[in-house]
Amino acid sequence: MNEQFIRKDGRPFNSLRNMKMEIGVLNNADGSAYIECGNNKILVGVYGPKELYSKKHSKPDGAVLRCKYNMIPFSVTERKRPGPDRRSTEISKLISEAITPAIFLEKYPRSSIDVSIEVLEAEGGTRCLGIVGASLALADAEIPMKDLISACAVGKVDNHIVVDLSEEEDQTGQADMPVAIMPRTGEITFLQMDGNLSVPEFEEAMQLAYDGCYYINQLQQQTLLKKYGGE
Ligand code: UDP
């Protein structure tokens, strides 16, 4: 049944929106990435590792990863008030947690690694793209990592399980489940669920999420190879 289902934007159930990735786009950051996915546009900059003098915030056994997700006021149809809010604080925390398992933080005791995720334009799926972009920017900063973390959302729209929900699908759909994985091991580093899925629907959605993440991982690797492959 899913095979015949065509979504409002013309995609079949298992198609992601067109994606474009680039790294090394900012001169003054230690690492950076720019991602487009449909109409989403996200810029990520990494600063660090740098020594963290504050005893209160530093850790003797490794670096502290501090991700900051921010939506600029004109990134959405209805102007967003500048500055942090509950949603951006939550997303900043979850992006840090999704990426932490991939980084050898223990190599940098009493240090911090700051990651700024600026959403320039949003169209659904920005937390996953933030994870994908942050992971690329960290690799661009040459921070040792076990793997690149890949992420995409799956969900239920018009009774069909679909991947990479648009803003409209996110808002009108029956379920939305963003997922991040470490492709090499298949470990899930982040999963949220908004709405309801039955057990078979959840299993179908997870399979679609894995397929989507592995596809995105290929694009991430190609993006890194384009810059560093010849060396
Ligand atoms: N959105 C918006 N205004 C806001 C927050 C979100 O218009 O203040 C839109 C934006 O396009 C975003 C989408 O709603 O991508 C879905 O938001 P959600 O909180 O589900 O996060 P996301 O899917 O971006 O990770």
Side-chain angles (χ1 to χ4, degrees):
M1 257 220 340
N2 239 3
E3 271 70 27
Q4 279 114 43
F5 176 58
I6 298 295
R7 296 149 73 175
K8 282 214 175 109
D9 58 9
R11 286 184 288 157
F13 74 100
N14 57 354
S15 266
L16 289 93
R17 290 166 287 185
N18 282 337
M19 285 186 98
K20 185 181 140 186
M21 301 179 187
E22 219 178 314
I23 52 168
V25 292
L26 300 173
N27 285 331
N28 297 330
D30 293 311
S32 55
Y34 173 70
I35 299 209
E36 283 184 12
C37 172
N39 291 322
N40 287 296
K41 296 186 175 70
I42 295 181
L43 186 61
V44 185
V46 170
Y47 183 50
K50 64 176 192 298
E51 203 169 333
L52 195 57
Y53 295 104
S54 153
K55 279 217 169 91
K56 192 175 149 206
H57 296 110
S58 72
K59 283 194 199 156
D61 55 349
V64 180
L65 178 70
R66 302 188 294 201
C67 294
K68 193 169 140 274
Y69 166 102
N70 179 53
M71 268 181 149
I72 60 172
F74 49 87
S75 62
V76 283
T77 346
E78 212 167 293
R79 182 185 177 274
K80 192 206 155 279
R81 252 177 91 133
D85 52 25
R86 272 180 66 165
R87 177 178 173 275
S88 65
T89 306
E90 179 210 329
I91 296 180
S92 299
K93 187 170 180 289
L94 72 82
I95 293 178
S96 299
E97 288 173 359
I99 293 174
T100 293
I103 313 175
F104 291 102
L105 290 173
E106 64 275 17
K107 284 192 185 288
Y108 306 103
R110 295 181 191 84
S111 307
S112 66
I113 301 171
D114 290 326
V115 183
S116 293
I117 300 140
E118 294 292 322
V119 179
L120 312 177
E121 210 165 298
E123 197 206 11
T126 59
R127 71 194 62 206
C128 289
L129 295 168
I131 293 169
V132 173
S135 178
L136 269 180
L138 286 160
D140 186 44
E142 297 182 18
I143 289 167
M145 292 165 80
K146 292 174 202 157
D147 201 356
L148 291 161
I149 300 290
S150 307
C152 67
V154 284
K156 187 174 168 186
V157 175
D158 294 333
N159 293 319
H160 294 270
I161 302 299
V162 298
V163 68
D164 186 29
L165 282 73
S166 66
E167 182 182 306
E168 192 186 344
E169 289 174 330
D170 181 310
Q171 281 159 12
T172 58
Q174 296 140 292
D176 173 32
M177 185 170 86
V179 178
I181 65 159
M182 181 137 59
R184 201 163 293 165
T185 59
E187 181 189 340
I188 295 168
T189 65
F190 155 71
L191 190 151
Q192 274 184 320
M193 171 133 55
D194 187 12
N196 292 311
L197 293 176
S198 66
V199 172
E201 284 171 343
F202 174 80
E203 284 168 355
E204 193 184 334
M206 271 318 294
Q207 189 52 54
L208 218 44
Y210 270 103
D211 293 346
C213 287
Y214 282 118
Y215 170 76
I216 289 171
N217 188 253
Q218 292 287 317
L219 299 183
Q220 287 173 297
Q221 288 186 32
Q222 284 165 16
T223 307
L224 285 177
L225 276 174
K226 212 165 121 194
K227 186 174 173 199
Y228 294 108
E231 287 173 12

